[in-house]
Amino acid sequence: MTTKPAPAAHAEEDTNIPQTLQSLIVAFALAMAVRSFVTEGFVIPTGSMAPTLMGQHLRPTSPATGYSFAVDAGPAFDMMRMLGANYRDIARPMYDPMLSLTDQIEQVSNTESAQNSSMGDRVLVLKYLYAFQEPKRWDVVVFKNPTDPIGDSANFIKRLVGLPQEQILFLDGDVFTAPLGSGRDAFTIQRKPEYIQRAVWQPVHDSDFVPVDLTRLARVWGKSWPGPPWQGTGFETGDKRAWRHDGADAASLQWRFDLMPITDFTAYNIWRDVPVTQRYSVSDIRVSVAIDADDPAKLSSEYTLETRRRNLRFIIADGKATLRIESAREGDADPITVLEEQSVAFTPRTDGAALEVEFWHVDQRMSMFIDGEEIVSLDYAFASLDERLLASYNGRTVEDYTRNATFQQPTPPQLSLSFVGSPLTLHRVRVDRDLYYRPAVLREDPYNQPPQNGEAVSGAAFATDFEKPAQLHSDHFMMCGDNSAASRDSRLWGRPSPLVTAIFGSDAPFIVPRPLLLGKAWCVYFPAPVAAVEGWTKFVPDAGQLRFIR
């Protein structure tokens, strides 16, 4: 009996080339399908959405305080491209936003700025999401640029602020809307949800950042540091991070606008040519503070914001947390009129930990948060748009404002903190401001109004004409950048590209037609990279900046 030898078994490590190729083809096909129909990555090229999303930027650290912040690198690259190598070493002033926006702390050359810059954030966009659900106000959206849908700036990313079938008006930085065809008395303010509001607060001052060397700072400035913008009686502030008051008597702090105005300026634009005269005072403010009282049960705390002809009072006292709106008094002898009030019971903590308090005034709403939880809120309204305008621009008339809104400064708010009843220490005293949508005037600007699109539109920017609010019709959306001072958006675009008009039949200027919406920006999956070792090329994503987009 004979037997045939068994065929030799293939070694386990042998590669099946056809199967491997098939797997790669399937994986590639799935990736292309996902990219085409589910999600796609985009790079943020500019700073129009800063600081929510970063374009190409650098992140300096102040030698005076250690404060780190993002700065738009675009101006440095623009100068190098336009003026050549001779201007590579021209120095630019650098400021520390926690100390001053007028006194520089050092100078940085264009070459150094370019070498230390990082590319913009990379974001994932949920494509075709809007085929299944309606776009929502405050979504961050990627869309085709209606003025140039096939050029170098074909894809834009902005925040959706205006919806179809409504009128929209920007006033004192806020968004007001009304149904199409309704009168001016139908306009109401649009408020952002808490999770979005937390994402868009922009820092003004933080008491944790104080000069580490007052002598060196005085030598650089040629004068002494005047101290933090919070100054008053009873507290030892100066160059300390913790501010102490010994005693149960009254102590107070007032914000000094001469030291640090609260405006729509953002540190990201520190090299952008934004004139100081066109920075707008902002009254939508968050003040947060950690209060460490020796005897919490006896302490009474109050934050007062004077703005828009009202005194907004946030009070923690007598077992209650109270929000109160009073009419502003012309003189000390005038009576106090309480317009609205809301209170809830509140028991101070007794575990010895500091009380983390946030006082919010934003979008005509007062809110008080304790340890991150909202405990009381109070919405308020004005009788009309005219009343809101006159309250925001105290001493001016409607005619003054409409003559040229871009040169009308809102009346600056007044801020104060007061305490009585217990010795205490304040930590982490921070001030943040809300987004501010600016008024503007339309110009013959080839970037916003390309000449091939037809005659340039003139007059007040879209949605900023108080007498003629913007009209959004069916399937029309309005998009704006969070960095309003440096954003090409629906306020400024002129007529759409002839291609958009030919394909979609819409020749309305300023708006984004529904078919141009590409999807909702979902997350930053590859933040601006950092160097693994100082001096190396930046290629490692900053994992601490991975985040969902709000």
Side-chain angles (χ1 to χ4, degrees):
M1 178 177 176
T2 60
T3 60
K4 295 181 180 179
H10 289 290
E12 187 174 336
E13 63 272 14
D14 283 355
T15 301
N16 189 320
I17 294 177
Q19 288 184 359
T20 300
L21 290 175
Q22 290 173 2
S23 298
L24 289 174
I25 292 171
V26 170
F28 180 78
L30 288 173
M32 290 299 99
V34 168
R35 183 183 183 277
S36 299
F37 299 105
V38 182
T39 186
E40 183 176 353
F42 289 85
V43 180
I44 305 300
T46 69
S48 68
M49 282 293 292
T52 307
L53 297 170
M54 304 292 188
Q56 188 163 22
H57 66 281
L58 63 154
R59 187 174 288 277
T61 298
S62 167
T65 65
Y67 182 64
S68 178
F69 57 101
V71 174
D72 187 359
F77 283 97
D78 292 344
M79 179 175 284
M80 291 169 63
R81 278 194 296 266
M82 290 188 298
L83 303 178
N86 292 336
Y87 291 85
R88 290 179 182 273
D89 295 323
I90 287 181
R92 291 177 173 273
M94 182 62 72
Y95 306 89
D96 185 332
M98 295 296 106
L99 298 180
S100 172
L101 298 177
T102 56
D103 297 300
Q104 67 185 45
I105 55 171
E106 61 180 351
Q107 292 195 335
V108 182
S109 71
N110 286 327
T111 300
E112 186 179 357
S113 300
Q115 291 174 345
N116 292 331
S117 67
S118 300
M119 69 177 185
D121 292 329
R122 292 178 179 268
V123 302
L124 284 180
V125 175
L126 296 176
K127 303 180 71 173
Y128 299 102
L129 175 67
Y130 295 139
F132 304 98
Q133 69 176 45
E134 281 296 302
K136 297 178 181 178
R137 197 185 318 273
W138 313 121
D139 281 355
V140 177
V141 181
V142 174
F143 55 94
K144 287 294 182 182
N145 175 6
T147 66
D148 186 16
I150 58 175
D152 293 336
S153 301
N155 297 325
F156 272 8
I157 182 167
K158 310 286 181 189
R159 193 175 296 277
L160 193 160
V161 296
L163 295 169
Q165 301 296 327
E166 71 180 14
Q167 305 175 70
I168 184 168
L169 176 68
F170 295 159
L171 178 60
D172 190 17
D174 287 337
V175 179
F176 293 83
T177 66
L180 276 181
S182 60
R184 295 177 66 82
D185 57 348
F187 275 85
T188 57
I189 196 165
Q190 294 298 322
R191 298 185 172 98
K192 295 178 283 295
E194 180 189 337
Y195 72 96
I196 291 178
Q197 187 61 58
R198 286 193 176 276
V200 300
W201 285 120
Q202 301 195 23
V204 175
H205 183 260
D206 187 334
S207 65
D208 276 351
F209 296 97
V210 295
V212 295
D213 188 337
L214 289 175
T215 302
R216 181 180 181 278
L217 182 63
R219 188 165 56 249
V220 172
W221 279 4
K223 62 181 180 180
S224 298
W225 178 55
W230 285 110
Q231 297 187 7
T233 58
F235 284 100
E236 301 174 15
T237 54
D239 59 343
K240 297 178 175 59
R241 289 183 171 84
W243 300 343
R244 177 69 182 174
H245 171 63
D246 289 313
D249 56 325
S252 63
L253 293 167
Q254 289 79 39
W255 184 269
R256 288 188 54 181
F257 274 77
D258 58 326
L259 295 182
M260 188 169 290
I262 301 178
T263 70
D264 68 335
F265 174 80
T266 177
Y268 192 87
N269 296 338
I270 216 161
W271 287 340
R272 285 285 173 191
D273 186 19
V274 180
V276 175
T277 55
Q278 291 188 20
R279 295 175 185 170
Y280 298 94
S281 294
V282 178
S283 292
D284 283 5
I285 298 167
R286 173 177 67 176
V287 172
S288 54
V289 57
I291 305 172
D292 188 1
D294 292 8
D295 191 344
K298 294 182 179 179
L299 180 68
S300 296
S301 307
E302 180 173 340
Y303 163 62
T304 301
L305 175 65
E306 299 178 27
T307 183
R308 299 171 188 161
R309 296 181 177 175
R310 285 159 167 75
N311 294 335
L312 310 180
R313 300 178 63 191
F314 302 71
I315 306 167
I316 303 175
D318 302 324
K320 295 188 298 182
T322 302
L323 303 177
R324 182 180 300 154
I325 302 176
E326 301 172 353
S327 60
R329 296 187 296 169
E330 298 295 332
D332 294 338
D334 293 341
I336 297 175
T337 302
V338 177
L339 303 178
E340 297 180 69
E341 183 172 302
Q342 183 71 41
S343 295
V344 296
F346 173 72
T347 303
R349 62 194 309 168
T350 57
D351 58 3
L355 191 68
E356 300 280 353
V357 186
E358 299 174 53
F359 305 113
W360 289 25
H361 171 247
V362 61
D363 299 334
Q364 293 180 190
R365 166 178 283 176
M366 301 169 65
S367 299
M368 189 186 302
F369 292 79
I370 304 292
D371 297 328
E373 296 292 331
E374 185 180 58
I375 62 170
V376 61
S377 65
L378 176 60
D379 296 347
Y380 68 95
F382 290 85
S384 65
L385 286 175
D386 287 33
E387 184 186 5
R388 168 62 194 270
L389 185 152
L390 296 175
S392 295
Y393 299 85
N394 199 2
R396 270 69 57 85
T397 65
V398 172
E399 291 73 22
D400 291 334
Y401 180 81
T402 55
R403 193 174 299 119
N404 193 335
T406 60
F407 288 100
Q408 294 296 333
Q409 277 287 341
T411 304
Q414 303 296 318
L415 291 66
S416 63
L417 288 163
S418 60
F419 307 89
V420 66
S422 170
L424 74 154
T425 303
L426 302 182
H427 305 269
R428 300 182 293 281
V429 185
R430 297 169 181 164
V431 177
D432 303 282
R433 59 95 174 169
D434 187 25
L435 302 179
Y436 189 97
Y437 295 110
R438 290 176 148 227
V441 175
L442 297 171
R443 308 184 187 283
E444 292 189 19
D445 175 4
Y447 292 102
N448 288 309
Q449 302 200 60
Q452 63 269 24
N453 293 353
E455 183 181 358
V457 184
S458 60
F462 195 60
T464 70
D465 188 335
F466 186 75
E467 299 292 348
K468 298 178 181 179
Q471 311 287 306
L472 297 174
H473 297 280
S474 178
D475 291 333
H476 289 179
F477 298 88
M478 182 174 184
M479 308 288 183
C480 286
D482 287 357
N483 185 3
S484 191
S487 176
R488 295 169 55 194
D489 54 36
S490 284
R491 296 168 304 139
L492 304 173
W493 297 327
R495 305 182 192 282
S497 163
L499 184 63
V500 171
T501 301
I503 295 177
F504 304 116
S506 174
D507 61 354
F510 308 111
I511 59 90
V512 179
R514 184 185 293 269
L516 294 187
L517 304 184
L518 297 181
K520 178 182 178 181
W522 174 46
C523 70
V524 177
Y525 74 95
F526 196 103
V530 296
V533 177
E534 186 174 354
W536 286 20
T537 301
K538 297 181 178 182
F539 64 91
V540 180
D542 185 354
Q545 294 298 316
L546 291 168
R547 61 195 184 277
F548 292 108
I549 297 172
R550 304 300 189 189

